[in-house]
């Protein structure tokens, strides 16, 4: 877990202050409390400590936390001097170097607030996969385990500029200089009235079967126009959920522009030459997302549209509605049998 401490703190604070995801997890633990009773649980990342605390309250016999020591300390304080204070334990160290306490070799359940912006940015995706392969018992659970990545189009959005250092060319020696250029990508909140296309499902990730290489992909998409409008940017957002033992997907919360805001923002990729969208007609393109360790946040995107020569390569740089429990219920259960090969 090599995320910067500043990033961990910002995300942890955001999670604890996010009523949408917090209430979704509360609903999940109430609904499936029996699954945690007398089980050994591992919290990969312990970003906010919320899932560790809920696991203790749900009746886990042992909760082992890895990652964020500050959040783990808050959990310890919350249950100190109670009959449950010995249930929770924090293990310090890198995930590939630690040993489980009490001589344990396996855990029954992995919980983790692993999802990042557009699923993979600042995520704990690889850490959870590592923990699954090394410690999770056969048939064990990962909560939440499913994330679906969607793309949709918007006409425009506030676009910031950054200063870029231009180095002198060989043919024109001299001093470097700074220029302002518009950013290719930002993370921000998009209002539903900005949408000019329907959504398209790019990718479904199930941590029970996923591999580390799944964060690299290039997928064709089709966006159906909602109205006649230029398309000046595409927006990436995700639905996060839990696949129950019977293999059905239960959505917990969504970062869609049509849903209340969460601690996770949408990813906005700008298009320098807007694409014309007609109502009810399709706009086709290809979007790629790649692990790039040399980048600041280790993610790079590519975007192209059918019939246009340009391909964009980018790197990382409405008031919320009242939330009710119905927000945690999907419109329908989704059968994941096509992507699931069995239990974890």
């Amino acid at each position: 877990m090599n995320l910067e401490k500043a990033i961990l703190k910002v995300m942890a604070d955001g999670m604890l202050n996010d009523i949408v995801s917090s209430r979704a997890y509360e609903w999940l633990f109430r609904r499936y409390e029996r699954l945690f009773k007398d089980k050994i649980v591992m919290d990969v990342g312990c970003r906010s400590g919320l899932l560790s605390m809920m696991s203790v309250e749900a009746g886990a016999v042992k909760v082992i936390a890895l990652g964020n020591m500050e959040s783990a300390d808050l959990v310890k304080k919350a249950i100190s001097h109670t009959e449950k204070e010995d249930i929770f334990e924090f293990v310090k160290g890198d995930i590939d170097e630690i040993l489980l306490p009490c001589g344990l070799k396996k855990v029954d359940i992995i919980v983790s607030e692993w999802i990042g912006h557009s699923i993979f940015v600042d995520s704990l995706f690889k850490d959870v996969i590592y923990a699954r392969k090394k410690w999770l018992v056969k048939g064990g659970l990962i909560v939440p385990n499913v994330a679906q990545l969607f793309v949709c189009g918007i006409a425009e959005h506030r676009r910031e500029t950054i200063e870029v250092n231009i180095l002198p060319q060989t043919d024109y020696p001299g001093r470097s200089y700074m220029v302002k250029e518009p950013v290719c990508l930002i993370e921000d909140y998009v209002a539903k009235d900005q949408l000019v296309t329907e959504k398209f499902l790019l990718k479904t990730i199930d941590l029970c079967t996923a591999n580390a290489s799944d964060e690299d992909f290039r997928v064709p998409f089709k966006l159906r126009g909602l109205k006649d409008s230029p398309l000046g940017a595409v927006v990436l957002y995700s639905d996060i959920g839990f696949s129950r033992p019977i293999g059905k997907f239960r959505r917990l919360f969504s970062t869609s522009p049509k849903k209340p805001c969460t601690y996770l923002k949408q990813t906005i990729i700008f298009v320098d030459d807007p694409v014309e969208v007609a109502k009810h007609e399709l706009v086709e393109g290809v979007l790629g997302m790649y692990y790039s360790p040399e980048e600041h946040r280790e993610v790079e995107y590519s975007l192209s549209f059918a019939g246009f020569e340009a391909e964009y390569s980018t790197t990382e740089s409405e008031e919320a509605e009242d939330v009710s429990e119905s927000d945690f219920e999907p419109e329908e259960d989704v059968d994941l049998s096509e992507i699931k090969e069995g239990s974890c």
Side-chain angles (χ1 to χ4, degrees), residues 277-288:
V277 174
K279 187 175 182 179
H280 301 314
E281 293 189 3
L282 293 176
V283 174
E284 299 185 30
V286 179
L287 189 141

Side-chain angles (χ1 to χ4, degrees), residues 105-148:
K105 300 297 182 182
K106 295 291 181 179
V107 300
D108 302 300
I109 301 174
I110 292 174
V111 298
S112 179
E113 294 161 298
W114 62 273
I115 306 98
H117 306 291
S118 54
I119 296 182
F120 299 107
V121 179
D122 296 333
S123 82
L124 298 176
F125 172 71
K126 290 182 178 178
D127 296 281
V128 176
I129 290 177
Y130 181 91
R132 180 198 77 195
K133 292 181 176 179
K134 186 170 183 178
W135 293 301
L136 189 63
V137 299
K138 185 177 181 180
L141 299 176
I142 301 176
V143 180
N145 64 308
V146 179
Q148 296 179 314

Side-chain angles (χ1 to χ4, degrees), residues 1 43-47 52 62-76 85-94 98-101:
M1 277 166 245
D43 185 348
V44 176
C46 195
R47 280 181 155 173
S52 284
K62 190 70 177 176
V63 178
I64 304 162
L66 320 176
N68 189 352
M69 184 182 294
E70 291 183 6
S71 293
D73 286 341
L74 294 177
V75 176
K76 285 182 179 179
E85 65 178 338
D86 294 330
I87 293 175
F88 178 80
E89 187 164 349
F90 178 77
V91 180
K92 185 178 180 180
D94 293 335
I98 64 169
L99 295 175
L100 299 188

Side-chain angles (χ1 to χ4, degrees), residues 153-156 194-197 225-232 274-279 283:
I154 59 174
E156 59 182 1
Q194 292 178 253
L195 300 176
V196 298
T197 75
L226 296 173
K227 56 186 175 181
D228 296 343
S229 171
L231 187 153
V275 177
E276 290 300 322
V277 174
K279 187 175 182 179
V283 174

Side-chain angles (χ1 to χ4, degrees), residues 22 74 90 98 155 230 236 292 295 308 326-327 340-341:
S22 296
L74 294 177
F90 178 77
I98 64 169
L236 301 179
S292 182
E295 298 300 336
F308 294 82
S326 62
D327 285 304
K340 290 175 65 67
E341 297 177 358

Side-chain angles (χ1 to χ4, degrees), residues 255-276:
T255 65
S256 166
K258 295 182 179 181
K259 293 292 184 178
C261 297
T262 71
Y263 71 94
L264 292 170
K265 299 179 180 179
Q266 291 102 29
T267 299
I268 303 167
I269 303 175
F270 293 100
V271 179
D272 290 331
D273 299 314
V275 177
E276 290 300 322

